[in-house]
Amino acid sequence: MQLSSVEIEILKIIEENHKLSVESIALMAMCSEETVRKTIEKLEYEKIIMSYPTLINWSKVEGQEGVIAMIDVKVTPKRGVGFDEVAERISRFPEVSSLYLMSGAYDLSITVEGKTMNQIAAFVSDKLSTIENVVSTTTHFMLKKYKHDGVSFNSGNDDKDRRMVVSP
Amino acid sequence: MKHDYEHYLSQTAKELQPSGIRKFFDLAASMEDVISLGVGEPDFITPWSIREATILSLEQGFTSYTANAGLLELREEITTYLATRFGVHYNPNNQIIVTIGASQAIDLAFRAILNQGDEVLIVEPAFVSYAPLVAIAGGKPVAVSTSPVNGFKVTAEQIEAAITEKTKAILLCSPNNPTGSMLTKDELTEIAEIIQKYDLIVVSDEIYAELSYDEDFCSVAAIEGMYERTILINGFSKGFAMTGWRLGFLAAPKEFFEVMLKIHQYTTMCAPNMLQRGAVEALRNTYPEVESMRNSYRRRRNYVVQTLNQMGLECHTPGGAFYVFPSIRSTGLSSEQFAEELLMQEKVAVVPGHVFGESGEGYIRCSYATSMEQLQEALKRIQRFIEKKGVYADSQSEKVNAR
Ligand SMILES: Cc1ncc(COP(=O)(O)O)c(C=O)c1O
């Protein structure tokens, strides 16, 4: 879809910070608040804006740590529908947080989130590997998150303002 | 024996005015939880690949001096950069010097061209170092005042009116600190005519060249007839978010280069080796980062200018740098009073305009090189401050109330 430069500007602004008020976005993009409202509505409707996720570092919250696994899956593609049908089917499981078709040694890369290791093990053995066309699975448990979707999970040293209060 | 220190000290050094910025720094630094719009440097950390290249150069043991003028590799990158970005062509072997910030480059330029009593025109409001550096080099700074009538841009007439027998050079800074105003190619061309007519030298401080938002930046050296009489100064501080690195450079005809290099050689030897290697990476590979920082500043500028105007602090739209320079005349306060009371009552630091010369009185410098969250909060506090003062003109109070 072809977007105008103002629409792209609005997208870039909310990509960086979706908490800004409509008023602030309008001032930054030099357009009316009406334009901002309409643009956001349209882009949501067109599914160009997919969602406004909040990135939470659960590992910092006691009792909420959870387990994440990345699973490499080999499948035999089905005639006519290729990988799409089996991928669709897998993506419907609520445990699956992302799913990609990959080039290389395996076909699908799945990220699964669960409360415990057992929960993930059960998902793999009961649900995933029993799907017709799934040939093999390799499960990797994630040990620690350093960066996710462009955001660093470290102590955030880079965000600290180390400048003097007033400078020339 | 009692020492007479007055007697020991250099007359020129004694007569230098302490920077007004310093006073504000001391005041603001003594307070906690201050939101600062008083900072003259990027809020971004230097792009990682530049830091990485520097770390690598240290690992590889590049810890010696470099050539006096700087690493040839870096001078070559600078030459390419100036040619491709601004269309000005220099020879890396005898026209470029890598300096300790643009600051040292300005110092070198004045020391190289000034004789006792030579006058240098300084367009005010101006960066705080110019006049003192002219004085240190034995020259006499002469202020050329600009006003918001034409967006703080100096005109050819204003320059001509300030020229005397003794005028040797003019310092131009565009985009400007503190006003953010930027001279277009046409405006520079008119100014260039006067400069040529009176046979002056231009010291052109182009440190904010990368931070121009509405129009392409034009270097004075690219204007016809100006190359031969321009000392071009630029650096990495602002556009590449490298203030603490203390790296800048100058480009000039080789006759100027030779004299400046002599001084540089005796006073500094060379800029730090490993940092110059980081600068090579900056010029080679960080254009996307520079552009993304520029876009971020532009959006914040739009927000800040319009918000200040809405609350009744009249403010022109600056074409570059990361400062706005709104008038605070409507409050009836001096710029010093305004800045001090705002700091004490609302904990927002701004720099009073008079620090940048007499024509800055009645204005404050606000830097928008700060996060949107901080800017929003700071502007809310400024609005509360001027509402409490209750001294702004009627027409403006209507505007605020209508919001
Ligand atoms: C107009 C102007 N020139 C020069 C400088 C100094 O730059 P550098 O850090 O490269 O010495 C500054 C810094 O604030 C500035 O605003």
Side-chain angles (χ1 to χ4, degrees), chain A residues 9 12-13 17 20 23-24 27-28 30 158 162-168, chain B residues 36 38-42 51 177 298-299 302 306-307 365 369 373 376 403:
Chain A
E9 183 80 353
K12 294 210 157 144
I13 291 169
N17 185 347
L20 292 170
E23 189 193 356
S24 296
L27 293 171
M28 290 170 85
M30 302 277 259
D158 268 11
R162 297 193 186 80
R163 298 175 298 171
M164 300 186 302
V165 204
V166 175
S167 68
Chain B
S36 182
V39 186
E41 56 185 318
R51 292 185 271 157
N177 173 7
R298 176 174 50 75
R299 292 174 190 132
N302 295 343
Q306 296 177 85
T307 308
R365 188 192 76 176
E373 279 80 10
Q376 286 176 318
R403 256 152 61 81

Side-chain angles (χ1 to χ4, degrees), chain B residues 196-207:
Chain B
Q196 290 175 47
K197 180 171 160 196
Y198 292 91
D199 195 21
L200 306 183
I201 302 164
V202 178
V203 178
S204 179
D205 184 348
E206 305 183 358
I207 189 79

Side-chain angles (χ1 to χ4, degrees), chain B residues 161-226:
Chain B
I163 292 174
T164 71
E165 293 271 276
K166 295 202 174 124
T167 309
K168 180 81 168 274
I170 175 165
L171 190 137
L172 290 178
C173 174
S174 162
N176 181 275
N177 173 7
T179 65
S181 74
M182 186 171 107
L183 296 164
T184 63
K185 184 167 185 194
D186 289 346
E187 288 157 349
L188 280 172
T189 307
E190 277 179 33
I191 291 169
E193 258 174 51
I194 295 299
I195 288 170
Q196 290 175 47
K197 180 171 160 196
Y198 292 91
D199 195 21
L200 306 183
I201 302 164
V202 178
V203 178
S204 179
D205 184 348
E206 305 183 358
I207 189 79
Y208 292 102
E210 283 295 349
L211 306 182
S212 53
Y213 307 118
D214 307 321
E215 288 180 65
D216 283 342
F217 170 80
C218 173
S219 170
V220 196
I223 307 267
E224 198 178 324
M226 294 306 291

Side-chain angles (χ1 to χ4, degrees), chain A residues 168, chain B residues 40 101-103 106 127 130 173 177 205 207-208 237-238 246 323:
Chain B
S103 302
I106 301 163
F127 176 50
Y130 300 147
C173 174
N177 173 7
D205 184 348
I207 189 79
Y208 292 102
S237 290
K238 315 289 172 165
R246 313 310 308 121
Y323 311 104

Side-chain angles (χ1 to χ4, degrees), chain A residues 41-73:
Chain A
E41 250 167 49
K42 168 183 156 186
L43 297 173
E44 284 173 350
Y45 180 77
E46 298 288 348
K47 291 264 188 281
I48 287 176
I49 297 174
M50 303 279 289
S51 82
Y52 302 89
T54 310
L55 196 52
I56 295 170
N57 191 352
W58 284 115
S59 69
K60 279 190 162 175
V61 186
E62 225 168 291
Q64 298 290 330
E65 294 88 348
V67 184
I68 299 173
M70 292 165 91
I71 308 173
D72 311 338
V73 185

